[in-house]
């Protein structure tokens, strides 16, 4: 059959509250045109993030009931640990309440001022945790990773030559670890090839630098390898995952993504001495090493979720539903990061609104218009998020790309929701010439996108 169906039935439903265009206009004005400040029940289709927003399965909810809340030595922890070791293969598994807690524990244990940590592209919490330790975070994406229209299959790769050059420049002793983020979220949800993982690993192992994987979307990345990389078509996704992690020395994970859970994460390593030091820090800020800031029931939900996420029916549907959105809007001319990513479609706001300067925040305009038009909440990933204000002149220094991310929660929306998304996005695209820019009315000194307020420079919704 050519139709790829959602491989699940729906047992519990969560009603969506319908709103009118006029109501949405009022909600937006009251929120200072910042969609982070909207109430989520005023949103029809929420594509703000794929993190923690998955629908859990009946087996996961059964796990929630089985959860054992013992402070130490809970059987829920051992089920969680078994699931992680079986899939990822690391000796030591340290539970944390979410991905950034794993990052903080890792980097505050291994990084010092003067150190440098390369990555294909650091996610913002990863970068912030490295910088908080006094070390420097360096992005080394391949050049095509920064060209939205380039359709190459593994645009999430790291530039291996640049990695070698960095090691020669700063010395292996200044690099406590190298990271690869799969899939590359900041770079458009693009996958990293097995070939690239192998090459980066060889370079690192040759220099005695541990390689860590930011594993948030490991299953989606593995399925892209199965679909796109020669030699992997007949392999089980789980075997592909095991091969990926055999090239690494440890990983950080947010179970809010490919753990199919609403909260949780972990840090894993093969280094026993390091694991001891990390557990000491864990006890200080997260909790005892058999729960690490999670409830026993969360550990159970993740143990089941990690197995379900590797089911190929699920992964086929998952990548097909994101691709379906990307292909349908791009067929109508809407410029997106090509090819569509694993967890999200990224609209190229600079090409969508070429008449709006980056300093007038074109991505913000698209986010606002999608909400007014159809109650869709996306997120700006451009100058609002990554640009900054010149401290002397007050002028905006724009980001490298102006994108709007439409992240798909896992197992939450059906194909008719996606058809509705296509209709709304195309309607905004057709009236793009009437859409102008925005300016900041308020901004905080750091992470300004969360709390900023904006003023439109045109007649919104016209
Ligand atoms: N690494 C990557 C690649 C991520 O995308 C995220 C979170 C984290 C680490 C941190 O994990 O949220 O559990 O602490 N990304 C979310 C997003 C927030 O919307 O992309 P966390």
């Amino acid at each position: 059959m050519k139709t790829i169906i959602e491989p699940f039935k729906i047992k519990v439903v969560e009603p969506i509250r319908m709103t009118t265009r006029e109501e949405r206009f009022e909600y937006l004005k009251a929120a200072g045109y910042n969609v982070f400040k909207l109430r989520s029940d005023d949103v029809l289709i929420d594509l703000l993030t794929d993190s923690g927003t998955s629908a859990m399965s009946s087996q996961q909810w059964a796990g929630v009931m089985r959860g054992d809340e013992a402070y130490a030595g809970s059987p829920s922890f051992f089920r969680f640990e078994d699931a992680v070791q079986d899939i990822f293969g690391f000796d030591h598994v340290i539970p944390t309440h979410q991905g950034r807690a794993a990052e903080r524990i890792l980097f505050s244990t291994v990084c010092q001022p003067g150190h440098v940590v390369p990555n294909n592209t650091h996610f913002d919490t990863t970068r912030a945790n490295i910088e908080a330790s006094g070390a420097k975070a360096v992005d080394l994406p391949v050049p095509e990773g920064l060209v939205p229209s380039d359709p190459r299959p593994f645009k999430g790769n790291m530039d291996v030559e640049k990695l070698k050059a960095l090691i020669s420049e700063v010395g292996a002793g200044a690099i406590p670890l190298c990271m690869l983020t799969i899939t590359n979220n900041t770079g458009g949800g693009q996958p990293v090839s097995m070939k690239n993982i192998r090459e980066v690993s060889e370079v690192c192992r040759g220099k005695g630098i541990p390689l860590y994987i930011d594993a948030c979307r490991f299953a989606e990345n593995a399925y892209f390898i199965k679909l796109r990389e020669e030699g992997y078509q007949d392999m089980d996704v789980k075997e592909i995952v095991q091969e990926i992690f055999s090239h690494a020395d440890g990983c950080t994970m947010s179970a809010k993504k490919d753990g199919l859970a609403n909260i949780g994460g972990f840090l894993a390593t093969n280094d026993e001495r390091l694991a001891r030091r990390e557990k000491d820090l864990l006890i200080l800020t997260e909790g005892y090493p058999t729960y690490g800031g999670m409830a026993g029931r969360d550990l159970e939900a993740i143990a089941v979720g990690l197995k379900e996420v590797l089911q190929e029916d699920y992964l086929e549907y998952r990548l097909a539903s994101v691709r379906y959105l990307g292909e349908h809007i791009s067929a109508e001319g809407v410029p997106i990061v090509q090819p569509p990513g694993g967890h999200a479609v990224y609209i190229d706001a600079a090409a969508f609104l070429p008449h709006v300067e980056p300093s007038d925040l074109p991505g913000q305009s698209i986010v606002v218009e999608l909400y007014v038009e159809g109650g869709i909440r996306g997120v700006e990933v451009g100058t609002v998020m990554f640009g900054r204000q010149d401290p002397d002149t007050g002028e905006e220094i724009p980001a490298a790309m102006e994108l709007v991310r439409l992240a798909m929660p896992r197992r939450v929306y059906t194909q008719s929701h996606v058809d509705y998304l296509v209709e709304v996005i195309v309607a905004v695209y057709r009236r793009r010439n009437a859409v102008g820019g925005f300016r900041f009315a308020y901004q905080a000194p750091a992470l300004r996108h969360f709390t900023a307020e904006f003023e439109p420079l045109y007649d919104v919704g016209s």
Side-chain angles (χ1 to χ4, degrees):
M1 294 300 140
K2 96 178 183 329
T3 306
I4 298 168
I5 61 169
E6 289 84 2
F8 47 80
K9 298 182 288 181
I10 297 167
K11 192 190 305 242
V12 177
V13 297
E14 197 178 344
I16 293 175
R17 194 176 78 80
M18 296 298 170
T19 51
T20 63
R21 197 182 173 97
E22 289 66 38
E23 284 169 339
R24 293 193 290 268
F25 202 78
E26 290 309 312
Y27 299 146
L28 254 185
K29 270 207 280 198
Y33 294 95
N34 185 342
V35 293
F36 278 102
K37 294 190 178 180
L38 292 171
R39 296 174 64 123
S40 65
D41 49 8
D42 294 336
V43 174
L44 257 65
I45 299 198
D46 202 349
L47 308 183
L48 188 65
T49 181
D50 64 320
S51 179
T53 50
S54 298
M56 292 212 294
S57 68
S58 48
Q59 289 301 317
Q60 285 179 292
W61 282 108
V64 166
M65 289 307 295
R66 192 170 58 226
D68 181 297
E69 304 302 341
Y71 186 91
S74 160
S76 300
F77 172 72
F78 296 109
R79 275 191 282 273
F80 166 85
E81 186 185 46
D82 279 351
V84 174
Q85 284 176 334
D86 178 44
I87 296 167
F88 298 88
F90 297 116
D91 295 336
H92 305 281
V93 179
I94 300 172
T96 60
H97 79 273
Q98 63 184 81
R100 65 197 71 183
E103 293 166 356
R104 196 192 70 84
I105 287 170
L106 173 63
F107 301 130
S108 55
T109 309
V110 302
C111 290
Q112 286 166 19
H115 278 167
V116 177
V117 180
N119 200 330
N120 44 354
T121 313
H122 291 279
F123 182 66
D124 54 7
T125 60
T126 322
R127 171 176 288 279
N129 274 297
I130 290 168
E131 288 171 353
S133 76
K136 192 173 156 200
V138 176
D139 291 341
L140 303 176
V142 285
E144 64 267 27
L146 298 176
V147 183
S149 59
D150 191 313
R152 269 176 268 192
F154 290 106
K155 289 165 72 181
N157 284 352
M158 177 181 274
D159 190 323
V160 180
E161 292 311 311
K162 283 202 192 128
L163 174 65
K164 289 182 192 162
L166 180 76
I167 298 171
S168 316
E169 185 196 327
V170 303
I175 304 181
L177 78 168
C178 172
M179 290 196 88
L180 273 177
T181 303
I182 66 171
T183 55
N184 186 342
N185 183 12
T186 312
Q190 300 294 317
V192 179
S193 70
M194 190 73 85
K195 177 165 180 282
N196 191 248
I197 295 170
R198 198 181 308 123
E199 286 175 359
V200 169
S201 173
E202 275 165 16
V203 171
C204 289
R205 287 192 172 156
K207 298 284 180 184
I209 300 169
L211 174 63
Y212 272 67
I213 292 181
D214 178 338
C216 292
R217 300 177 180 87
F218 73 98
E220 290 166 7
N221 199 102
Y223 201 66
F224 274 125
I225 289 175
K226 179 165 175 134
L227 294 179
R228 296 182 182 172
E229 194 164 350
E230 208 177 316
Y232 290 93
Q233 279 65 46
D234 297 325
M235 223 162 137
D236 276 354
V237 177
K238 187 172 167 190
E239 285 170 354
I240 298 176
V241 170
Q242 287 165 333
E243 184 177 330
I244 291 174
F245 288 89
S246 72
H247 294 297
D249 301 288
C251 74
T252 55
M253 171 74 184
S254 167
K256 300 174 74 172
K257 285 86 171 173
D258 273 350
L260 295 176
N262 303 121
I263 195 72
F266 58 86
L267 170 60
T269 173
N270 285 328
D271 182 334
E272 186 173 357
R273 278 182 49 211
L274 181 63
R276 277 219 180 111
R277 287 167 57 210
E278 289 169 342
K279 284 183 195 169
D280 289 343
L281 195 55
L282 186 84
I283 292 171
L284 207 61
T285 60
E286 289 277 306
Y288 190 72
T290 60
Y291 73 88
M294 281 183 281
R297 51 181 171 269
D298 301 326
L299 294 162
E300 295 277 359
I302 297 167
V304 177
L306 287 173
K307 290 185 188 132
E308 290 183 351
V309 81
L310 293 176
Q311 287 167 5
E312 303 208 4
D313 289 346
Y314 161 76
L315 284 168
E316 183 188 29
Y317 138 79
R318 170 71 176 158
L319 297 195
S321 62
V322 177
R323 189 170 63 234
Y324 180 92
L325 173 61
E327 285 177 353
H328 278 76
I329 61 175
S330 100
E332 297 292 329
V334 178
I336 63 167
V337 174
Q338 295 286 4
H343 67 298
V345 170
Y346 292 67
I347 294 175
D348 179 356
F352 191 115
L353 297 177
H355 54 283
V356 179
E357 291 296 319
S359 56
D360 289 341
L361 317 175
Q364 180 60 25
S365 309
I366 295 174
V367 168
V368 163
E369 292 295 340
L370 292 177
Y371 181 72
V372 170
E373 185 74 32
I376 300 170
R377 177 159 69 169
V379 64
E380 197 266 11
V381 183
T383 293
V384 174
M385 195 180 271
F386 292 121
R388 60 199 167 83
Q389 218 172 19
D390 187 308
D392 300 323
T393 64
E395 267 176 49
E396 275 299 316
I397 305 169
M401 289 194 279
E402 300 298 332
L403 304 177
V404 171
R405 185 181 78 169
L406 305 173
M408 297 290 278
R410 294 169 180 78
R411 304 192 294 208
V412 170
Y413 294 115
T414 63
Q415 185 164 343
S416 62
H417 289 115
V418 180
D419 287 333
Y420 173 83
L421 291 171
V422 172
E423 210 179 316
V424 172
I425 297 163
V426 170
V428 173
Y429 185 64
R430 295 215 171 114
R431 57 180 180 76
R432 63 192 179 281
N433 290 335
V435 177
F438 271 83
R439 67 165 163 248
F440 281 97
Y442 162 77
Q443 57 178 301
L447 294 174
R448 60 184 184 174
H449 54 287
F450 290 121
T451 53
E453 288 170 19
F454 302 93
E455 275 163 14
L457 302 170
Y458 71 104
D459 193 7
V460 170
S462 58

